[in-house]
Amino acid sequence: MHPIRRRRFILILISLASVACAVALVLSALGENLNHFYPPQEILQGKAPEGRTIRVGGMVVKGSLKRVPSSLQLTFIITDFKADVLVKYAGILPDLFREGQGVVVVGKLLPDHVVMAEQVLAKHDEKYMPPEAAEALRRAKKI
Amino acid sequence: MFNSLFKYLSRRFHQWGSPKYFYEYASRWLPWLAFFSTMILMFGLVWGLAFAPPDYQQGDSFRIIYIHVPAASLGMSIYVFMAIASVVSWVWKIKLADMLAKSCAPLGAVFTAIALITGAIWGKPTWGTWWEWDARLTSMLILFFLYMGIIALRSAINQREIAAQATGVLALVGLINLPIIKYSVDWWNTLHQSATFKLLEKPAMPPEMWLPLLISLLGFYCLFAWLVLFYTRNEILEREAKSQWLRAQVLK
Amino acid sequence: MRFTNWADFFNMGGHGFYVWLSYGVTFILLLACIILGWRRHQILIDRIRRIAEQKNNASHS
């Protein structure tokens, strides 16, 4: 290889590596501030700040959804199977909100690990399924 | 060993990198690529829109997957391709590689934009929000800005050589964003679900759902191959406008 | 076929707006890529033709 070319090649590699390290560091610092959610267990461990807008994600416990009659107010419990958190919300739930399904709640943490939600987002996984298959699965589980 | 590999690559690149050689091949391939990409895309998308089953939770809004996933995948692949072309043009001083890199930038930006827009439209009925500053969505937006930055940088520098080097450096630096996009859904607790297609793993959906997706993915890649050859041929028409062989080709 | 009639197909189970908006935007953006590339191609070909004509005229006169 031509010495000048080789030097250029090595120079590229070194600069690339150093820039990559720098960007990775910046992004990991930034990642702390990105909107990721806390699972209920971390809420109970006190890892989430009180009084600031945070996100809590987990599965809605079956049978936990309770509506206050003749209003939009409701409560439900979300779980990560290690801990539970009670969520209070006033508003319209997304179409995909279902008990037994994942949600991400945007809101403020009140004392006693209760979350006052401003927004409820439905989370889904990458397991897509035709309705017939889901129905068959449901029936198989019942038997 | 490193030296002989380098020499071998140099020889290959210089042969492929000849604009004349490329122009002839591209012109021959373009009509076929146009034909196949349209056919495959039509087939995959009609299948996805009308024949594939809906999702048991999302219903028919799930059908957006047939453009969202291919566009997002292309947005990232084009970036890698562009960065490789930049390195080749820089190390081996091959003009054609720079023309390829230049043609990639607007196409990559368009496919990334499609992924972002269809993602937002899909997010509204499923998640309940158009946009969330989630790690996956944010890193994808950064990818779009990287493309825009590369396009802007190139148009800001008049000297072709310097423009090629500067955009090449930017493309290489931005490469770090790709693993972040890819693994953002695993590293952080994101609203976005995990990857639909994983290497070495069966997709978590039945074949009547992933087969049309695979076909439309193939169609999108063919469409990109067509567009990038088309754009690069335009680039040759611009840069080699005064050369004898090109005039002979055009006036033929 | 998952839909029994055209109205159902366009309605997409109530999600028609989202589905057709995504497909529409994608179609328009991709079409724009093709048209812009094609127009640039025409302009560049015309330019090369002009250069060739000028050369021709110069050599004849």
Side-chain angles (χ1 to χ4, degrees), chain B residues 8 56 58 61 72 74 87 92 102 110 112 135 144 150 167 183 187 191 205 210 218 243:
Chain B
Y8 173 77
Y56 72 119
Q58 301 175 29
S61 65
L74 258 179
V87 171
W92 283 276
K102 188 187 171 189
V110 165
T112 308
F144 178 71
I150 285 167
T167 52
Y183 296 107
W187 291 343
L191 182 63
M205 50 177 163
W210 64 252
L218 187 72
S243 64

Side-chain angles (χ1 to χ4, degrees), chain B residues 200-239:
Chain B
L200 308 175
E201 253 180 74
K202 266 182 72 178
M205 50 177 163
E208 64 261 39
M209 283 174 146
W210 64 252
L211 255 175
L213 181 54
L214 202 66
I215 290 168
S216 107
L217 198 74
L218 187 72
F220 267 90
Y221 273 82
C222 271
L223 183 74
F224 165 67
W226 174 43
L227 283 170
V228 80
L229 287 193
F230 190 26
Y231 278 30
T232 308
R233 193 177 66 164
N234 278 350
E235 211 49 44
I236 294 176
L237 285 171
E238 184 176 309
R239 296 193 194 184

Side-chain angles (χ1 to χ4, degrees), chain A residues 9-138:
Chain A
F9 194 71
I10 292 170
L11 213 72
I12 292 174
L13 284 183
I14 293 173
S15 56
L16 186 63
S18 53
V19 167
C21 285
V23 177
L25 280 173
V26 169
L27 269 156
S28 71
L30 208 105
E32 301 288 311
N33 294 317
L34 266 179
N35 288 340
H36 63 284
F37 59 78
Y38 296 97
Q41 194 187 22
E42 288 185 9
I43 301 277
L44 258 68
Q45 287 167 349
K47 282 188 183 160
E50 258 181 51
R52 279 224 329 254
T53 301
I54 55 156
R55 282 165 170 71
V56 189
M59 202 191 84
V60 181
V61 175
K62 277 194 178 142
S64 71
L65 179 68
K66 289 188 182 70
R67 292 177 192 273
V68 178
S70 70
S71 78
L72 282 173
Q73 286 183 36
L74 49 92
T75 62
F76 55 88
I77 296 168
I78 56 176
T79 182
D80 57 358
F81 304 106
K82 289 171 202 138
D84 296 348
V85 163
L86 181 74
V87 179
K88 288 182 178 173
Y89 181 59
I92 295 160
L93 293 167
D95 285 354
L96 240 69
F97 180 94
R98 269 165 209 141
E99 290 182 347
Q101 286 294 327
V103 285
V104 174
V105 168
V106 185
K108 288 196 170 71
L109 188 60
L110 306 174
D112 304 328
H113 311 300
V114 173
V115 177
M116 188 69 223
E118 290 149 18
Q119 200 184 8
V120 175
L121 304 172
K123 186 173 159 53
H124 66 87
D125 54 22
E126 71 283 10
K127 294 177 184 66
Y128 305 101
M129 215 193 292
E132 304 88 66
E135 178 66 19
L137 209 69
R138 203 175 54 85

